[in-house]
């Protein structure tokens, strides 16, 4: 373990321990961030969430070397007066709490808007009123669709990066019509970004906004019927992992033509650590955090995951590894999609000198090894169990 005293920031100044109020600490990103903060720094974490299953391994045994540096507070931020006290006790608040699975955006639009906008309001207010620094998690979905997607299909301009690269300080936010309730999430995230930015401009709030671009890795979401509801629809990594574990075809929504850039969670956490420990360089900025080198269509992702899973499980893939489904059938009415998401990296490079490292193949190999080790046996047992009549 690195000695905390030996750690310095990007300007060579020693890093002193701080207290972080992390809201949504029990989720996918929060669990990895807590792990990193405990194992490599001397910072303290007040971990706020309604669940703690994904950070249990960091909380329980008294023998852990970070004993006492992480405290779990089971709080629903919608209605708990303890929140302000925790924010006041901390030097920095990181807000990760949100509904952030696309299957919810068009089927539970009210919960989505409340979670991503209304519930975040008191967090911003308490930080601003108490002069506390805030790192808020937004999303690459605030960019919506690319400008290029509105050009004719055969237009050569579609190949010009000016029409698809997503830049924090230049790109517009392009959403579909109101009936396309998919955009309830992106729109709520955009409005909270604008509110935070305005708190910075008018009241001097010290903030950093993070726009993650498809961070993936172990502990993302849930496997339906094993550690989440049987009918639940998680994000694509968990959907495809579930299909592979059950030896079912992977479902390609609307032909799997949408494009995404995927980044390994551990690379992305390095970027967040730099933001935490270099406030002078991170404050007042909005950062894209993604891996522009890992772009694939969803169909290519399915093909690669099938190959990697076959390698890590030692089982040959099934005869028809993918199947096409319509978005209406898969997500229901009101779904829409981002066509392509490539992050511009200029701002994060300039401010924090950060770059992602892990290739898509390598990150899928370590993630699917984890999925196989964690779930294969449970799935086998669930399949073998006779269904109660
Ligand atoms: N994973 C990604 O690639 C990605 C991409 C873009 C944006 N984001 C954003 O990053 C943040 C974290 O994402 P994640 O992937 O870790 O999601 P996650 O669902 O795994 O984690 C969110 C956590 O917030 C908690 N939470 C939600 N509402 C709460 C409430 N009212 N009170 C207390 N806790 C509450 C949940 O229980 C969950 O543990 C979200 O804001 C999300 O929109 C993530
Ligand atoms: O991760 C991000 O950066 C952001 O994007 C995600 O949105 P999206 O990438 O559309 O969601 P996924 O569930 O990861 O789906 C990716 C693509 O795969 C497709 N898909 C998903 C699941 C499936 O079984 N099959 C399938 O073809 C979807 O239609 C979509 O085109 C979520 O909105 C958020 O977690 C987050 O804000």
């Amino acid at each position: 373990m690195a000695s905390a005293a030996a750690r310095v920031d990007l300007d060579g100044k020693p890093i002193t321990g701080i207290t972080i109020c992390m809201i949504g600490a029990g989720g996918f990103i929060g669990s990895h961030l807590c792990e990193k903060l405990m194992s490599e720094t001397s910072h303290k974490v007040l971990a706020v969430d309604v669940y703690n299953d994904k950070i249990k391994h960091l909380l329980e045994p008294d023998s852990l070397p970070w004993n006492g540096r992480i405290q779990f507070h089971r709080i629903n931020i919608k209605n708990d007066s303890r929140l302000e006290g925790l924010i006041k006790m901390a030097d920095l608040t990181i807000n990760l709490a949100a509904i952030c699975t696309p299957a919810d955006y068009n089927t539970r639009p009210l919960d989505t808007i409340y979670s991503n906008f209304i519930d975040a309001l008191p967090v911003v207010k308490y930080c601003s009123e108490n002069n506390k620094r805030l790192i808020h998690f937004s999303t690459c979905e605030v960019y919506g669709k690319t400008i290029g997607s509105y050009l004719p299909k055969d237009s050569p301009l579609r190949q010009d990066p000016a029409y698809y690269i997503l830049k924090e300080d230049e790109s517009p936010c392009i959403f579909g019509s109101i009936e396309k309730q998919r955009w309830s999430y992106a729109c709520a995230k955009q409005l909270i970004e604008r509110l935070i930015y305005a708190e910075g401009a008018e009241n001097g709030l010290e903030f950093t906004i993070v726009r993650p671009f498809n961070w993936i890795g172990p502990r993302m979401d849930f496997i339906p019927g094993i550690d989440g509801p049987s009918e639940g629809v998680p994000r694509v990594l968990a959907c495809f992992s579930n299909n592979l574990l059950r030896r079912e075809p992977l479902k390609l929504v609307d032909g799997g033509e949408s494009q995404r850039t995927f980044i390994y969670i551990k690379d992305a956490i390095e970027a967040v650590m730099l933001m935490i420990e270099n406030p002078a360089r991170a404050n007042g900025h909005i950062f894209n955090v993604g891996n522009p080198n890992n772009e694939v269509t969803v169909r290519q992702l399915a093909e690669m995951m099938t190959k990697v899973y076959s390698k890590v499980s030692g089982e040959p893939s099934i005869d028809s590894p993918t199947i096409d489904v319509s978005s209406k059938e898969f997500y229901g009415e009101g779904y829409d999609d981002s066509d392509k998401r490539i992050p511009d990296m200029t701002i994060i490079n300039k401010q924090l000198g950060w770059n992602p490292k892990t290739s898509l193949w390598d990150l899928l190999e370590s993630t699917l090894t984890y999925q196989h080790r964690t779930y294969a046996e449970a799935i086998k047992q669930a399949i073998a169990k006779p269904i109660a009549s």
Side-chain angles (χ1 to χ4, degrees):
M1 189 170 50
S3 136
R7 301 177 68 252
V8 291
D9 68 14
L10 290 172
D11 298 305
K13 298 198 194 100
I15 293 168
T16 48
I18 57 167
T19 299
I20 300 169
C21 173
M22 196 190 299
I23 306 167
F28 163 58
I29 296 176
S31 72
H32 286 274
L33 190 52
C34 287
E35 217 165 65
K36 184 85 169 173
L37 287 164
M38 290 306 108
S39 62
E40 291 184 23
T41 78
S42 63
H43 304 310
K44 292 188 181 141
V45 173
L46 307 171
V48 174
D49 207 304
V50 281
Y51 303 113
N52 67 8
D53 316 41
K54 295 183 185 186
I55 53 170
K56 268 216 164 98
H57 62 294
L58 300 174
L59 298 173
E60 276 164 359
D62 284 348
S63 57
L64 288 170
W66 49 80
N67 182 25
R69 276 203 291 119
I70 180 164
Q71 252 176 41
F72 179 66
H73 297 265
R74 194 177 301 278
I75 286 177
N76 184 336
I77 62 163
K78 276 185 191 299
N79 48 26
D80 201 305
S81 57
R82 289 173 292 174
L83 182 64
E84 185 172 12
L86 292 173
I87 290 176
K88 278 186 178 168
M89 276 164 67
D91 303 290
L92 162 69
T93 292
I94 301 181
N95 190 8
L96 293 151
I99 287 178
C100 54
T101 38
D104 291 319
Y105 308 161
N106 58 315
T107 56
R108 298 169 57 204
L110 286 177
D111 288 341
T112 301
I113 294 166
Y114 271 79
S115 170
N116 282 283
F117 181 65
I118 307 287
D119 299 347
L121 285 176
V123 178
V124 180
K125 178 170 164 262
Y126 298 147
C127 287
S128 190
E129 285 173 358
N130 294 291
N131 296 315
K132 299 292 183 178
R133 190 179 168 219
L134 171 65
I135 298 182
H136 185 82
F137 272 70
S138 180
T139 173
C140 59
E141 285 212 13
V142 296
Y143 294 111
K145 303 181 188 221
T146 63
I147 305 172
S149 70
Y150 288 89
L151 293 168
K153 282 259 180 296
D154 55 356
S155 166
L157 288 177
R158 280 189 173 233
Q159 309 309 317
D160 181 342
Y163 292 90
Y164 61 81
I165 297 281
L166 302 170
K167 296 187 178 181
E168 298 94 327
D169 51 354
E170 283 180 25
S171 300
C173 302
I174 308 175
F175 305 152
S177 65
I178 302 300
E179 301 92 82
K180 297 283 184 202
Q181 297 206 72
R182 156 61 182 259
W183 303 108
S184 57
Y185 168 75
C187 192
K189 287 281 203 198
Q190 187 197 153
L191 190 53
I192 199 75
E193 279 201 26
R194 290 193 186 274
L195 184 107
I196 292 168
Y197 197 90
E199 278 289 351
E202 291 191 29
N203 296 325
L205 172 69
E206 290 186 341
F207 73 87
T208 302
I209 290 170
V210 187
R211 290 184 181 166
F213 280 64
N214 292 82
W215 299 9
I216 61 176
R219 296 198 290 269
M220 186 168 197
D221 298 337
F222 58 91
I223 296 298
I226 302 298
D227 54 5
S230 313
E231 300 306 315
V233 181
R235 286 170 285 188
V236 70
L237 174 83
C239 285
F240 285 176
S241 300
N242 183 40
N243 299 142
L244 290 165
L245 284 153
R246 293 178 189 274
R247 298 185 65 71
E248 296 166 347
L250 281 59
K251 293 183 176 156
L252 298 178
V253 173
D254 293 340
E257 283 174 12
S258 298
Q259 290 165 289
R260 295 287 187 272
T261 50
F262 292 95
I263 178 172
Y264 193 34
I265 182 70
K266 291 189 196 295
D267 287 356
I269 291 294
E270 296 283 349
V272 182
M273 291 297 293
L274 289 168
M275 292 175 208
I276 293 173
E277 299 191 328
N278 293 276
R281 288 167 177 255
N283 281 346
H285 288 284
I286 300 176
F287 291 115
N288 285 344
V289 180
N291 188 336
N293 306 317
N294 281 348
E295 192 189 25
V296 279
T297 62
V298 174
R299 181 179 289 278
Q300 288 166 333
L301 175 74
E303 288 164 0
M304 201 187 271
M305 283 182 68
T306 303
K307 277 194 199 133
V308 173
Y309 190 70
S310 183
K311 182 180 172 200
V312 303
S313 67
E315 295 164 8
S317 53
I318 59 173
D319 289 341
S320 307
T322 59
I323 186 172
D324 283 358
V325 291
S326 72
S327 54
K328 195 168 170 197
E329 202 183 323
F330 192 78
Y331 288 112
E333 204 67 63
Y335 181 74
D336 199 1
D337 207 353
S338 301
D339 51 305
K340 186 174 174 75
R341 288 186 185 155
I342 303 189
D344 181 81
M345 305 296 284
T346 312
I347 296 182
I348 195 157
N349 271 189
K350 177 165 171 267
Q351 295 303 120
L352 303 172
W354 172 86
N355 276 304
K357 302 185 200 101
T358 314
S359 70
L360 187 55
W361 179 277
D362 288 352
L363 77 86
L364 288 177
E365 193 165 335
S366 60
T367 305
L368 291 180
T369 300
Y370 170 89
Q371 303 288 59
H372 183 67
R373 204 179 51 224
T374 310
Y375 295 108
E377 198 44 49
I379 295 257
K380 243 184 232 159
Q381 285 177 19
I383 291 172
K385 220 188 260 170
I387 299 163
S389 53

